Amino acid sequence: MRVFLKPAPHFRPPADDTTPVIMIGPGTGIAPFIGFLQDRQARGASGPNWLFFGEQRRATDYYYADELAAFTAAGTLTRLGLAFSRDQRAKIYVQDRMREQGARLWTWLNDGAHVYVCGDAARMARDVDQALRDVVATYGNLDADDAVAYVRQLAADRRYVRDVY
């Protein structure tokens, strides 16, 4: 087995424990967010945490279901958006859940939320980025160019950080 290490120095929970955190981790991209939640719970972080997780089938692919239930019960995980693409006729992905929750997502962004994305770079990361721009455009009443600029500024401010592979 070959292992490749790639440092991601900015892919960590915010230093300010009151900062809202939005995590988007379909598939195995959820793994670092379990660590984020453990860290925030251990530090007693008061900022809300929202996780979007998706996979193909809930019955077989709901990774860390018990841990997520425990984080929710403890109040560490404030919101959980699930998308299991093969459990119904129409495929539903995390980016669809983001758009469905667009108004609330926009409110969290205005409240200073940091957004983290982890997982597939080939398609998911691009689709999630587009969904974020769509939410910003729709609920921020911005045109497409201004929405792109807004998301770029989030990234420049390290409030939008991606670890995609």
Side-chain angles (χ1 to χ4, degrees):
M1 172 189 298
R2 295 188 290 173
V3 176
F4 301 92
L5 298 178
K6 180 182 171 191
H10 303 295
F11 198 81
R12 61 182 37 134
D16 181 350
D17 287 338
T18 65
T19 301
V21 173
I22 300 166
M23 301 161 282
I24 305 159
T28 57
I30 190 176
F33 299 132
I34 298 300
F36 276 41
L37 292 166
Q38 290 169 338
D39 179 75
R40 287 183 53 97
Q41 185 173 56
R43 291 191 341 231
S46 61
N49 300 294
W50 189 351
L51 173 68
F52 289 93
F53 170 72
E55 245 303 349
Q56 289 189 0
R57 292 175 182 81
R58 183 182 189 115
T60 57
D61 305 322
Y62 190 1
Y63 312 136
Y64 299 102
D66 294 340
E67 290 88 340
L68 294 175
F71 284 129
T72 300
T76 303
L77 183 56
T78 312
R79 296 189 57 79
L80 178 61
L82 299 173
F84 295 100
S85 62
R86 305 304 192 275
D87 281 353
Q88 61 283 315
R89 184 175 297 244
K91 293 180 182 175
I92 299 172
Y93 299 104
V94 291
Q95 60 268 24
D96 300 315
R97 296 295 186 217
M98 290 170 63
R99 286 185 183 99
E100 289 171 4
Q101 294 295 317
R104 188 172 303 224
L105 196 57
W106 176 247
T107 298
W108 279 49
L109 289 171
N110 281 327
D111 289 343
H114 287 212
V115 180
Y116 300 90
V117 180
C118 185
D120 171 54
R123 291 180 33 218
M124 178 281 298
R126 181 184 66 239
D127 294 342
V128 163
D129 188 71
Q130 182 61 56
L132 182 59
R133 285 184 272 136
D134 292 346
V135 165
V136 166
T138 301
Y139 297 96
N141 294 313
L142 302 174
D143 65 28
D145 290 338
D146 288 340
V148 168
Y150 182 96
V151 172
R152 280 191 185 137
Q153 189 60 52
L154 285 177
D157 294 342
R158 294 194 178 126
R159 287 184 50 209
Y160 178 39
V161 183
R162 302 176 343 146
D163 183 12
V164 295
Y165 41 87

